[in-house]
Structures are given as structure tokens and as C-alpha cells.
Amino acid sequence: MRELEIISIGLYLIFFIMGIVMIYFKIINDRKVKTICELYEKEFNYLPLDVRIFKDSTWFTLPYHNGLKKQFIVRPLLKGKKSYFSKNEGDVEFMKGLPSNLTKSFIIEVYIGRAGCILFLIMLALMYIEKNM
């Protein structure tokens, strides 16, 4: 029983630290989105509809809209497919052609989010186990 409590506290601390790191990356990526949007507009003379509408949304005020805006960048990088709202097939080549200092933090943010979800599920399972022991 005591070992389970120590493991739980360790996981809670890791989850908390991951949350702080995630906030840092979200703030950094909000700034980078504007730069990427400017480069995209110079290259293709337009922005996809969701990005145009939600370009100034922040992760804190409008998290869902912020996700729509960022999938414009993340989907071509991770899945090799164009954004849902884009009509341009050149999205993948454009995003993969950007410097890594602009795109790497988006990928890190996605993986931290996925790891956080998995960690949350593990913590829920540990709470269930602790309660029923």
C-alpha cells in the first residue's frame, strides 16, 4: 500500500511538471504561428479559413479554436497530409520545408499532450486500485 502511494505522488509531480512545460510550449507556439502564417501568406497569397478566423486566438481563452489553428501546422508535419480546411496540396511540402526552429516546438507540444493523457489515465487507474485495496 505504501509503495502505491509513493508511485502516485511521483506521477502527480510528473504530471504537474508536464503541465508547466506544456504551458511554456503553448506560449512559444502562439508566437510562432504568426510567423508561419506570414510566411504562408507570402508563399500562397492566402490562409486557410480556420487559420484566418482564429489566427489571434490564444490557448487560454479559446483552446478549441487554438487547436484548429495549430492543426494547420501539425497535421502536415506529423501525418504528411494537408490541413482539413486548406485547399492547397502544397501544405505538406511547405511545412516540412520550414526551419526546424519554427516547427520542432509544435511536435514537442503534441507529444507532451499525448504523454499527459496517458499519464492521466494511469493516475486514474492507480486511484481506482488504491480505493479498492
Side-chain angles (χ1 to χ4, degrees):
M1 182 72 166
R2 183 75 180 142
E3 297 86 20
L4 204 55
E5 291 174 3
I6 293 171
I7 292 171
S8 295
I9 291 171
L11 290 176
Y12 296 143
L13 287 173
I14 292 170
F15 190 73
F16 180 73
I17 292 168
M18 283 175 65
I20 292 172
V21 171
M22 184 77 147
I23 289 171
Y24 170 76
F25 278 108
K26 286 190 173 293
I27 291 169
I28 296 297
N29 288 342
D30 273 345
R31 294 180 190 150
K32 289 182 179 182
V33 164
K34 293 177 182 169
T35 305
I36 291 172
C37 287
E38 289 172 6
L39 292 171
Y40 190 89
E41 274 187 300
K42 283 181 188 175
E43 179 87 18
F44 299 109
N45 295 325
Y46 86 102
L47 277 174
L49 180 63
D50 61 333
V51 180
R52 228 177 319 145
I53 293 171
F54 303 121
K55 185 165 71 171
D56 296 321
S57 68
T58 64
W59 66 273
F60 186 70
T61 55
L62 300 167
Y64 176 73
H65 299 138
N66 190 46
L68 284 175
K69 170 181 74 175
K70 286 185 182 172
Q71 70 87 21
F72 158 71
I73 298 165
V74 172
R75 190 161 194 260
L77 290 174
L78 290 179
K79 295 187 177 182
K81 298 178 182 177
K82 69 180 183 74
S83 168
Y84 290 116
F85 297 103
S86 178
K87 300 172 198 158
N88 187 1
E89 293 295 328
D91 283 355
V92 177
E93 292 83 25
F94 176 78
M95 292 302 168
K96 289 190 176 186
L98 289 172
S100 66
N101 64 339
L102 281 177
T103 58
K104 193 180 292 186
S105 60
F106 289 98
I107 295 169
I108 292 170
E109 180 185 340
V110 167
Y111 286 130
I112 289 174
R114 289 178 182 175
C117 289
I118 292 169
L119 186 61
F120 181 72
L121 293 174
I122 292 170
M123 290 177 356
L124 285 176
L126 280 175
M127 284 191 276
Y128 178 78
I129 291 169
E130 276 186 61
K131 182 181 177 186
N132 293 324
M133 279 186 93

